[in-house]
Amino acid sequence: MREDDLRLDGNAAAGDLAEIFAVEATAAILTCAGCGHRGPLGAAPLYQAGPGTVVRCARCEGVLLKLARVRDQLVVDLSGIRLLHGAPPGR
């Protein structure tokens, strides 16, 4: 089988990604890219000052995510998150 036969576009991931992005976001479990701490988004310290929002790691205080509205669009930077786990079933 050739590599071209296996290549799809990002639309092929829509079903799996819907499982992550269609859950209660505050129950999602984040793993800090800096220190490896795991915890729910809802328990992480959040700062709202200026044009955007910053969510920090509860252990090392590294930036997990940043979000802001830019020209009426929500822009999210998740570069401080090593892993993002959907909320456990039943939450």
Side-chain angles (χ1 to χ4, degrees):
M1 190 175 281
R2 297 181 4 227
E3 182 179 335
D4 287 345
D5 294 334
L6 301 174
R7 182 179 297 151
L8 304 171
D9 65 18
N11 290 309
D16 290 334
L17 290 174
E19 187 176 321
I20 291 288
F21 291 108
V23 300
E24 171 56 44
T26 59
I29 305 300
L30 310 178
T31 301
C32 177
C35 72
H37 176 71
R38 273 184 68 164
L41 171 62
L46 180 143
Y47 300 89
Q48 285 185 311
T53 299
V54 175
V55 177
R56 293 188 172 273
C57 175
R59 180 185 293 158
C60 74
E61 297 186 8
V63 175
L64 294 171
L65 68 89
K66 298 174 273 190
L67 57 96
R69 291 247 172 230
V70 177
R71 294 180 207 82
D72 296 325
Q73 290 186 337
L74 184 61
V75 178
V76 182
D77 176 350
L78 304 172
S79 60
I81 298 172
R82 182 183 310 154
L83 291 171
L84 171 65
H85 304 264
R91 276 197 166 175

